[in-house]
Amino acid sequence: MEERARKILRYAFFITLFFFFVELIGGYISKSLALITDSFHMLLDVSAIGIAYFATKLAGRKRNLMKTFGYHRFEIISALFNGLMLLGISFFMLSRAYGRILNSQKVLTDIMIPIAFLGLMVNIIVGLILYKGKKENLNIKGAYLHVLGDTLSSTGVVAGGILMGLTGFYLIDPIISIFVAFLILIETLHFIKEPIEILTESAPKEIDVKKLIDSLQSIPGVKKIHDFHIWSIKTGAVNVTSHLLVEENVNPSEILASASKVLREKFNITHFTFQIESELNKGCCHCEEISSESH
């Protein structure tokens, strides 16, 4: 299944990357800022698809003594770098659009419209390629959603080109460029939020941490939870460590089995380490469970 996912992402990546350059060059030749901006929106798709491919590729690499958590953080660092790059691009295109509004230029719509239309068709084709695998792979689903957003902006560029061709009102071009640049900006801010949260080891947003702690606290025999930590190595790979202070004369194995059941069944967490403590005996008993999905 992972090989199939990589194959889907590989096709989508090269098709999208090729047409990014087509739109970029076509926008320069036709003097269409909207087409150039849309090409950078397509670059966001290239980035999303590339990171998704990178993630599936790294998932197959084994941990070693130097990389005990595996290679998943490379995916997160790459995502953050690409996001920051796209933020810079969006601000640059906004400044160019402002300059174009002050000094309007004629757009060669006979060049712009066919390229914009082809870009729209490429987005649809790539979207269909990714749609086939989005139900079986979370990374493909994320890339598919990026392409879906780009398809909407490409539709706007095509419509704008047709309107300019009919009316000769070339201010439509920078207006569309501003719209697409803001779309890139919003998507990118959303895009980089997750890698920042993962790199700062924040609690995963999909986990109700208070509910998790309360669930552990409610296990019969558990008196107190302390030194509790929850974080992610990558998207979906949640890790938990905690000390459980328990009552005297309880069976540590039963406590660990109950805690394991809580995390697995209620929160779908499969990688955790618990340390059992009692007030009189500070000896520790460890339980660590690692699933193949986690690393």
Short mmCIF file of all heavy atoms in Angstrom, two decimals, residues 143-202:
data_model
loop_
_atom_site.label_atom_id
_atom_site.label_comp_id
_atom_site.label_asym_id
_atom_site.label_seq_id
_atom_site.Cartn_x
_atom_site.Cartn_y
_atom_site.Cartn_z
N ALA A 143 -2.53 16.35 0.36
CA ALA A 143 -2.12 16.87 -0.95
C ALA A 143 -3.34 17.12 -1.84
O ALA A 143 -3.41 18.11 -2.57
CB ALA A 143 -1.16 15.90 -1.62
N TYR A 144 -4.31 16.22 -1.77
CA TYR A 144 -5.54 16.35 -2.56
C TYR A 144 -6.29 17.64 -2.19
O TYR A 144 -6.78 18.36 -3.08
CB TYR A 144 -6.44 15.14 -2.32
CG TYR A 144 -7.84 15.29 -2.88
CD1 TYR A 144 -8.09 15.15 -4.24
CD2 TYR A 144 -8.91 15.57 -2.03
CE1 TYR A 144 -9.37 15.29 -4.75
CE2 TYR A 144 -10.20 15.71 -2.53
CZ TYR A 144 -10.42 15.57 -3.89
OH TYR A 144 -11.69 15.72 -4.38
N LEU A 145 -6.36 17.95 -0.91
CA LEU A 145 -7.06 19.16 -0.47
C LEU A 145 -6.34 20.42 -0.97
O LEU A 145 -6.99 21.41 -1.32
CB LEU A 145 -7.17 19.18 1.05
CG LEU A 145 -8.10 18.10 1.66
CD1 LEU A 145 -8.03 18.12 3.17
CD2 LEU A 145 -9.54 18.30 1.18
N HIS A 146 -5.01 20.39 -1.02
CA HIS A 146 -4.24 21.51 -1.57
C HIS A 146 -4.59 21.72 -3.05
O HIS A 146 -4.81 22.85 -3.49
CB HIS A 146 -2.75 21.26 -1.42
CG HIS A 146 -2.20 21.66 -0.09
ND1 HIS A 146 -1.88 22.95 0.24
CD2 HIS A 146 -1.94 20.93 1.02
CE1 HIS A 146 -1.42 23.00 1.47
NE2 HIS A 146 -1.45 21.78 1.97
N VAL A 147 -4.61 20.64 -3.80
CA VAL A 147 -4.90 20.73 -5.24
C VAL A 147 -6.33 21.20 -5.47
O VAL A 147 -6.61 21.96 -6.40
CB VAL A 147 -4.64 19.37 -5.92
CG1 VAL A 147 -5.11 19.39 -7.37
CG2 VAL A 147 -3.16 19.02 -5.86
N LEU A 148 -7.24 20.78 -4.61
CA LEU A 148 -8.63 21.21 -4.73
C LEU A 148 -8.74 22.73 -4.59
O LEU A 148 -9.46 23.40 -5.34
CB LEU A 148 -9.48 20.52 -3.65
CG LEU A 148 -11.00 20.66 -3.77
CD1 LEU A 148 -11.51 20.05 -5.07
CD2 LEU A 148 -11.68 20.02 -2.57
N GLY A 149 -8.00 23.30 -3.62
CA GLY A 149 -7.99 24.75 -3.45
C GLY A 149 -7.38 25.45 -4.65
O GLY A 149 -7.88 26.51 -5.09
N ASP A 150 -6.33 24.88 -5.23
CA ASP A 150 -5.68 25.48 -6.41
C ASP A 150 -6.61 25.43 -7.62
O ASP A 150 -6.59 26.32 -8.48
CB ASP A 150 -4.38 24.75 -6.70
CG ASP A 150 -3.51 25.51 -7.69
OD1 ASP A 150 -3.67 26.74 -7.79
OD2 ASP A 150 -2.69 24.88 -8.37
N THR A 151 -7.43 24.39 -7.71
CA THR A 151 -8.39 24.27 -8.81
C THR A 151 -9.38 25.44 -8.79
O THR A 151 -9.73 26.00 -9.84
CB THR A 151 -9.16 22.94 -8.72
OG1 THR A 151 -8.21 21.86 -8.74
CG2 THR A 151 -10.12 22.77 -9.89
N LEU A 152 -9.79 25.84 -7.61
CA LEU A 152 -10.72 26.97 -7.48
C LEU A 152 -10.06 28.27 -7.92
O LEU A 152 -10.67 29.08 -8.63
CB LEU A 152 -11.20 27.08 -6.02
CG LEU A 152 -12.02 25.91 -5.48
CD1 LEU A 152 -12.33 26.12 -4.01
CD2 LEU A 152 -13.32 25.76 -6.27
N SER A 153 -8.80 28.48 -7.51
CA SER A 153 -8.12 29.72 -7.92
C SER A 153 -7.83 29.71 -9.42
O SER A 153 -7.92 30.76 -10.08
CB SER A 153 -6.81 29.88 -7.13
OG SER A 153 -5.85 28.94 -7.53
N SER A 154 -7.50 28.56 -10.00
CA SER A 154 -7.27 28.47 -11.45
C SER A 154 -8.54 28.80 -12.23
O SER A 154 -8.49 29.42 -13.30
CB SER A 154 -6.78 27.06 -11.82
OG SER A 154 -5.51 26.81 -11.29
N THR A 155 -9.68 28.38 -11.68
CA THR A 155 -10.97 28.72 -12.31
C THR A 155 -11.15 30.23 -12.35
O THR A 155 -11.60 30.80 -13.36
CB THR A 155 -12.13 28.07 -11.52
OG1 THR A 155 -11.93 26.65 -11.47
CG2 THR A 155 -13.47 28.36 -12.19
N GLY A 156 -10.77 30.91 -11.25
CA GLY A 156 -10.86 32.36 -11.20
C GLY A 156 -9.94 33.03 -12.20
O GLY A 156 -10.31 34.04 -12.83
N VAL A 157 -8.74 32.48 -12.39
CA VAL A 157 -7.78 33.05 -13.36
C VAL A 157 -8.31 32.91 -14.79
O VAL A 157 -8.22 33.85 -15.59
CB VAL A 157 -6.40 32.37 -13.21
CG1 VAL A 157 -5.45 32.85 -14.31
CG2 VAL A 157 -5.80 32.67 -11.84
N VAL A 158 -8.87 31.76 -15.10
CA VAL A 158 -9.45 31.54 -16.44
C VAL A 158 -10.59 32.52 -16.68
O VAL A 158 -10.67 33.17 -17.73
CB VAL A 158 -9.95 30.09 -16.59
CG1 VAL A 158 -10.75 29.93 -17.89
CG2 VAL A 158 -8.78 29.11 -16.57
N ALA A 159 -11.48 32.65 -15.69
CA ALA A 159 -12.62 33.57 -15.82
C ALA A 159 -12.14 35.01 -15.98
O ALA A 159 -12.67 35.77 -16.80
CB ALA A 159 -13.53 33.44 -14.60
N GLY A 160 -11.12 35.37 -15.22
CA GLY A 160 -10.57 36.73 -15.31
C GLY A 160 -9.95 36.99 -16.68
O GLY A 160 -10.09 38.09 -17.23
N GLY A 161 -9.26 36.01 -17.22
CA GLY A 161 -8.66 36.15 -18.55
C GLY A 161 -9.72 36.37 -19.61
O GLY A 161 -9.55 37.21 -20.52
N ILE A 162 -10.79 35.62 -19.52
CA ILE A 162 -11.89 35.76 -20.48
C ILE A 162 -12.52 37.15 -20.37
O ILE A 162 -12.79 37.81 -21.39
CB ILE A 162 -12.95 34.66 -20.26
CG1 ILE A 162 -12.36 33.29 -20.61
CG2 ILE A 162 -14.20 34.93 -21.11
CD1 ILE A 162 -13.24 32.12 -20.22
N LEU A 163 -12.71 37.63 -19.14
CA LEU A 163 -13.29 38.96 -18.94
C LEU A 163 -12.38 40.05 -19.49
O LEU A 163 -12.85 41.00 -20.13
CB LEU A 163 -13.54 39.21 -17.45
CG LEU A 163 -14.78 38.56 -16.83
CD1 LEU A 163 -14.80 38.77 -15.33
CD2 LEU A 163 -16.05 39.16 -17.47
N MET A 164 -11.07 39.92 -19.28
CA MET A 164 -10.13 40.91 -19.83
C MET A 164 -10.14 40.88 -21.35
O MET A 164 -10.07 41.93 -22.00
CB MET A 164 -8.72 40.63 -19.30
CG MET A 164 -8.49 41.10 -17.88
SD MET A 164 -6.77 40.95 -17.36
CE MET A 164 -6.59 39.18 -17.18
N GLY A 165 -10.24 39.68 -21.92
CA GLY A 165 -10.29 39.58 -23.37
C GLY A 165 -11.53 40.24 -23.95
O GLY A 165 -11.48 40.83 -25.04
N LEU A 166 -12.64 40.15 -23.22
CA LEU A 166 -13.90 40.72 -23.70
C LEU A 166 -14.01 42.21 -23.46
O LEU A 166 -14.58 42.95 -24.27
CB LEU A 166 -15.08 40.00 -23.04
CG LEU A 166 -15.29 38.53 -23.40
CD1 LEU A 166 -16.39 37.91 -22.55
CD2 LEU A 166 -15.62 38.38 -24.89
N THR A 167 -13.47 42.68 -22.32
CA THR A 167 -13.68 44.08 -21.92
C THR A 167 -12.45 44.96 -22.09
O THR A 167 -12.58 46.19 -22.16
CB THR A 167 -14.12 44.14 -20.45
OG1 THR A 167 -13.06 43.65 -19.61
CG2 THR A 167 -15.37 43.30 -20.21
N GLY A 168 -11.27 44.38 -22.08
CA GLY A 168 -10.05 45.17 -22.14
C GLY A 168 -9.75 45.86 -20.82
O GLY A 168 -8.89 46.76 -20.76
N PHE A 169 -10.42 45.47 -19.76
CA PHE A 169 -10.22 46.07 -18.43
C PHE A 169 -9.13 45.27 -17.71
O PHE A 169 -9.40 44.30 -17.03
CB PHE A 169 -11.53 46.05 -17.64
CG PHE A 169 -11.45 46.74 -16.30
CD1 PHE A 169 -11.13 48.09 -16.20
CD2 PHE A 169 -11.69 46.02 -15.13
CE1 PHE A 169 -11.06 48.71 -14.97
CE2 PHE A 169 -11.62 46.64 -13.89
CZ PHE A 169 -11.31 47.99 -13.81
N TYR A 170 -7.88 45.74 -17.85
CA TYR A 170 -6.74 44.95 -17.41
C TYR A 170 -6.44 45.04 -15.91
O TYR A 170 -5.57 44.33 -15.41
CB TYR A 170 -5.50 45.33 -18.22
CG TYR A 170 -5.67 45.01 -19.69
CD1 TYR A 170 -5.70 46.03 -20.64
CD2 TYR A 170 -5.81 43.69 -20.11
CE1 TYR A 170 -5.88 45.74 -21.99
CE2 TYR A 170 -5.99 43.40 -21.46
CZ TYR A 170 -6.03 44.42 -22.39
OH TYR A 170 -6.21 44.13 -23.71
N LEU A 171 -7.18 45.89 -15.19
CA LEU A 171 -7.04 45.91 -13.74
C LEU A 171 -7.56 44.61 -13.10
O LEU A 171 -7.26 44.32 -11.94
CB LEU A 171 -7.79 47.10 -13.14
CG LEU A 171 -7.04 48.46 -13.13
CD1 LEU A 171 -7.95 49.54 -12.57
CD2 LEU A 171 -5.76 48.36 -12.32
N ILE A 172 -8.33 43.86 -13.88
CA ILE A 172 -8.80 42.55 -13.39
C ILE A 172 -7.62 41.66 -13.05
O ILE A 172 -7.67 40.89 -12.08
CB ILE A 172 -9.70 41.88 -14.45
CG1 ILE A 172 -11.01 42.65 -14.61
CG2 ILE A 172 -10.00 40.42 -14.07
CD1 ILE A 172 -11.88 42.15 -15.74
N ASP A 173 -6.53 41.78 -13.82
CA ASP A 173 -5.36 40.92 -13.63
C ASP A 173 -4.74 41.07 -12.23
O ASP A 173 -4.61 40.08 -11.51
CB ASP A 173 -4.33 41.20 -14.71
CG ASP A 173 -3.15 40.24 -14.66
OD1 ASP A 173 -3.36 39.03 -14.85
OD2 ASP A 173 -2.02 40.70 -14.40
N PRO A 174 -4.37 42.31 -11.79
CA PRO A 174 -3.81 42.42 -10.44
C PRO A 174 -4.83 42.11 -9.35
O PRO A 174 -4.44 41.64 -8.27
CB PRO A 174 -3.33 43.88 -10.37
CG PRO A 174 -4.08 44.59 -11.42
CD PRO A 174 -4.29 43.58 -12.51
N ILE A 175 -6.12 42.36 -9.60
CA ILE A 175 -7.14 42.05 -8.61
C ILE A 175 -7.20 40.53 -8.36
O ILE A 175 -7.26 40.08 -7.22
CB ILE A 175 -8.53 42.59 -9.06
CG1 ILE A 175 -8.53 44.12 -9.00
CG2 ILE A 175 -9.64 42.02 -8.18
CD1 ILE A 175 -9.74 44.76 -9.63
N ILE A 176 -7.17 39.77 -9.46
CA ILE A 176 -7.15 38.31 -9.33
C ILE A 176 -5.86 37.85 -8.64
O ILE A 176 -5.87 36.94 -7.81
CB ILE A 176 -7.30 37.63 -10.70
CG1 ILE A 176 -8.68 37.90 -11.29
CG2 ILE A 176 -7.07 36.12 -10.61
CD1 ILE A 176 -8.85 37.43 -12.71
N SER A 177 -4.75 38.52 -8.99
CA SER A 177 -3.46 38.19 -8.39
C SER A 177 -3.51 38.38 -6.87
O SER A 177 -3.00 37.55 -6.11
CB SER A 177 -2.36 39.06 -9.00
OG SER A 177 -1.11 38.77 -8.42
N ILE A 178 -4.12 39.48 -6.44
CA ILE A 178 -4.26 39.74 -4.99
C ILE A 178 -5.11 38.66 -4.34
O ILE A 178 -4.77 38.15 -3.26
CB ILE A 178 -4.88 41.14 -4.76
CG1 ILE A 178 -3.86 42.23 -5.13
CG2 ILE A 178 -5.32 41.30 -3.30
CD1 ILE A 178 -4.44 43.63 -5.15
N PHE A 179 -6.20 38.27 -5.00
CA PHE A 179 -7.08 37.24 -4.47
C PHE A 179 -6.32 35.91 -4.29
O PHE A 179 -6.40 35.28 -3.23
CB PHE A 179 -8.28 37.04 -5.40
CG PHE A 179 -9.10 35.82 -5.08
CD1 PHE A 179 -9.95 35.80 -3.99
CD2 PHE A 179 -9.01 34.68 -5.88
CE1 PHE A 179 -10.70 34.67 -3.69
CE2 PHE A 179 -9.75 33.54 -5.59
CZ PHE A 179 -10.60 33.54 -4.49
N VAL A 180 -5.58 35.53 -5.34
CA VAL A 180 -4.85 34.26 -5.27
C VAL A 180 -3.72 34.33 -4.24
O VAL A 180 -3.47 33.38 -3.51
CB VAL A 180 -4.30 33.87 -6.66
CG1 VAL A 180 -3.46 32.60 -6.58
CG2 VAL A 180 -5.43 33.68 -7.67
N ALA A 181 -3.04 35.51 -4.16
CA ALA A 181 -1.95 35.68 -3.19
C ALA A 181 -2.48 35.56 -1.76
O ALA A 181 -1.84 34.94 -0.90
CB ALA A 181 -1.28 37.04 -3.38
N PHE A 182 -3.66 36.14 -1.51
CA PHE A 182 -4.27 36.01 -0.18
C PHE A 182 -4.66 34.56 0.09
O PHE A 182 -4.54 34.07 1.22
CB PHE A 182 -5.48 36.92 -0.05
CG PHE A 182 -5.17 38.28 0.50
CD1 PHE A 182 -5.35 39.42 -0.27
CD2 PHE A 182 -4.68 38.42 1.79
CE1 PHE A 182 -5.04 40.68 0.24
CE2 PHE A 182 -4.38 39.67 2.32
CZ PHE A 182 -4.56 40.81 1.54
N LEU A 183 -5.11 33.87 -0.96
CA LEU A 183 -5.45 32.46 -0.81
C LEU A 183 -4.22 31.64 -0.44
O LEU A 183 -4.27 30.78 0.45
CB LEU A 183 -6.07 31.93 -2.11
CG LEU A 183 -6.86 30.62 -2.05
CD1 LEU A 183 -8.04 30.75 -1.11
CD2 LEU A 183 -7.35 30.24 -3.45
N ILE A 184 -3.09 31.93 -1.10
CA ILE A 184 -1.82 31.26 -0.78
C ILE A 184 -1.43 31.58 0.67
O ILE A 184 -1.01 30.69 1.43
CB ILE A 184 -0.70 31.71 -1.73
CG1 ILE A 184 -0.99 31.28 -3.17
CG2 ILE A 184 0.65 31.13 -1.29
CD1 ILE A 184 -0.02 31.87 -4.18
N LEU A 185 -1.57 32.86 1.04
CA LEU A 185 -1.19 33.30 2.38
C LEU A 185 -1.99 32.56 3.46
O LEU A 185 -1.42 32.05 4.44
CB LEU A 185 -1.42 34.81 2.51
CG LEU A 185 -0.89 35.51 3.76
CD1 LEU A 185 0.62 35.37 3.86
CD2 LEU A 185 -1.29 36.98 3.74
N ILE A 186 -3.30 32.47 3.27
CA ILE A 186 -4.17 31.80 4.24
C ILE A 186 -3.82 30.31 4.32
O ILE A 186 -3.70 29.74 5.41
CB ILE A 186 -5.65 32.00 3.88
CG1 ILE A 186 -6.05 33.47 4.06
CG2 ILE A 186 -6.56 31.11 4.74
CD1 ILE A 186 -7.39 33.82 3.44
N GLU A 187 -3.68 29.67 3.15
CA GLU A 187 -3.34 28.25 3.12
C GLU A 187 -1.99 27.98 3.78
O GLU A 187 -1.82 27.00 4.51
CB GLU A 187 -3.32 27.73 1.68
CG GLU A 187 -4.68 27.50 1.07
CD GLU A 187 -4.58 26.81 -0.28
OE1 GLU A 187 -3.84 25.82 -0.38
OE2 GLU A 187 -5.24 27.27 -1.22
N THR A 188 -1.01 28.87 3.51
CA THR A 188 0.33 28.67 4.03
C THR A 188 0.37 28.84 5.54
O THR A 188 1.04 28.08 6.24
CB THR A 188 1.32 29.64 3.36
OG1 THR A 188 1.26 29.48 1.94
CG2 THR A 188 2.75 29.37 3.82
N LEU A 189 -0.35 29.84 6.06
CA LEU A 189 -0.41 30.04 7.51
C LEU A 189 -1.00 28.81 8.19
O LEU A 189 -0.55 28.39 9.26
CB LEU A 189 -1.24 31.28 7.84
CG LEU A 189 -0.57 32.63 7.52
CD1 LEU A 189 -1.55 33.77 7.72
CD2 LEU A 189 0.68 32.84 8.37
N HIS A 190 -2.02 28.24 7.56
CA HIS A 190 -2.61 27.00 8.08
C HIS A 190 -1.62 25.84 7.93
O HIS A 190 -1.51 24.98 8.80
CB HIS A 190 -3.91 26.70 7.34
CG HIS A 190 -4.58 25.43 7.79
ND1 HIS A 190 -5.25 25.33 8.99
CD2 HIS A 190 -4.66 24.21 7.20
CE1 HIS A 190 -5.72 24.11 9.12
NE2 HIS A 190 -5.38 23.41 8.05
N PHE A 191 -0.88 25.87 6.83
CA PHE A 191 0.06 24.80 6.48
C PHE A 191 1.21 24.71 7.48
O PHE A 191 1.63 23.63 7.88
CB PHE A 191 0.58 25.07 5.06
CG PHE A 191 1.51 24.02 4.52
CD1 PHE A 191 1.06 22.78 4.17
CD2 PHE A 191 2.86 24.31 4.34
CE1 PHE A 191 1.92 21.82 3.65
CE2 PHE A 191 3.73 23.36 3.82
CZ PHE A 191 3.25 22.11 3.48
N ILE A 192 1.74 25.89 7.90
CA ILE A 192 2.93 25.89 8.77
C ILE A 192 2.57 25.79 10.25
O ILE A 192 3.46 25.59 11.09
CB ILE A 192 3.80 27.15 8.55
CG1 ILE A 192 3.07 28.41 8.99
CG2 ILE A 192 4.27 27.22 7.11
CD1 ILE A 192 3.95 29.65 8.93
N LYS A 193 1.29 25.90 10.58
CA LYS A 193 0.89 25.83 11.98
C LYS A 193 1.23 24.48 12.60
O LYS A 193 1.78 24.41 13.70
CB LYS A 193 -0.62 26.10 12.10
CG LYS A 193 -1.11 26.15 13.54
CD LYS A 193 -2.60 26.44 13.60
CE LYS A 193 -3.09 26.45 15.03
NZ LYS A 193 -4.55 26.69 15.12
N GLU A 194 0.95 23.41 11.86
CA GLU A 194 1.19 22.07 12.39
C GLU A 194 2.67 21.77 12.61
O GLU A 194 3.06 21.29 13.68
CB GLU A 194 0.55 21.00 11.51
CG GLU A 194 0.66 19.61 12.11
CD GLU A 194 -0.12 18.58 11.33
OE1 GLU A 194 -0.65 18.89 10.25
OE2 GLU A 194 -0.21 17.43 11.80
N PRO A 195 3.57 22.05 11.61
CA PRO A 195 4.99 21.79 11.88
C PRO A 195 5.55 22.60 13.04
O PRO A 195 6.40 22.11 13.78
CB PRO A 195 5.69 22.16 10.56
CG PRO A 195 4.69 22.86 9.73
CD PRO A 195 3.36 22.41 10.19
N ILE A 196 5.06 23.84 13.23
CA ILE A 196 5.52 24.65 14.36
C ILE A 196 5.08 24.00 15.67
O ILE A 196 5.86 23.90 16.62
CB ILE A 196 4.98 26.10 14.26
CG1 ILE A 196 5.69 26.84 13.12
CG2 ILE A 196 5.20 26.85 15.57
CD1 ILE A 196 5.12 28.21 12.84
N GLU A 197 3.83 23.54 15.72
CA GLU A 197 3.34 22.89 16.93
C GLU A 197 4.10 21.60 17.23
O GLU A 197 4.40 21.30 18.39
CB GLU A 197 1.84 22.59 16.79
CG GLU A 197 0.97 23.83 16.85
CD GLU A 197 -0.50 23.52 16.71
OE1 GLU A 197 -0.84 22.40 16.26
OE2 GLU A 197 -1.33 24.40 17.03
N ILE A 198 4.44 20.85 16.18
CA ILE A 198 5.18 19.60 16.39
C ILE A 198 6.61 19.88 16.85
O ILE A 198 7.11 19.25 17.78
CB ILE A 198 5.18 18.75 15.10
CG1 ILE A 198 3.77 18.20 14.85
CG2 ILE A 198 6.18 17.60 15.20
CD1 ILE A 198 3.61 17.46 13.54
N LEU A 199 7.27 20.86 16.23
CA LEU A 199 8.65 21.18 16.59
C LEU A 199 8.75 21.78 17.99
O LEU A 199 9.79 21.64 18.65
CB LEU A 199 9.26 22.13 15.56
CG LEU A 199 9.56 21.52 14.18
CD1 LEU A 199 9.99 22.59 13.20
CD2 LEU A 199 10.62 20.43 14.28
N THR A 200 7.70 22.46 18.45
CA THR A 200 7.70 22.99 19.81
C THR A 200 7.14 21.98 20.80
O THR A 200 6.93 22.29 21.98
CB THR A 200 6.89 24.30 19.89
OG1 THR A 200 5.55 24.08 19.39
CG2 THR A 200 7.54 25.40 19.09
N GLU A 201 6.88 20.76 20.31
CA GLU A 201 6.39 19.64 21.14
C GLU A 201 5.11 20.00 21.88
O GLU A 201 4.92 19.65 23.06
CB GLU A 201 7.49 19.16 22.10
CG GLU A 201 8.70 18.64 21.34
CD GLU A 201 9.74 17.96 22.23
OE1 GLU A 201 9.71 18.21 23.44
OE2 GLU A 201 10.56 17.20 21.69
N SER A 202 4.21 20.69 21.19
CA SER A 202 2.90 21.00 21.75
C SER A 202 2.05 19.74 21.76
O SER A 202 2.31 18.78 21.01
CB SER A 202 2.21 22.08 20.91
OG SER A 202 3.00 23.25 20.85
#
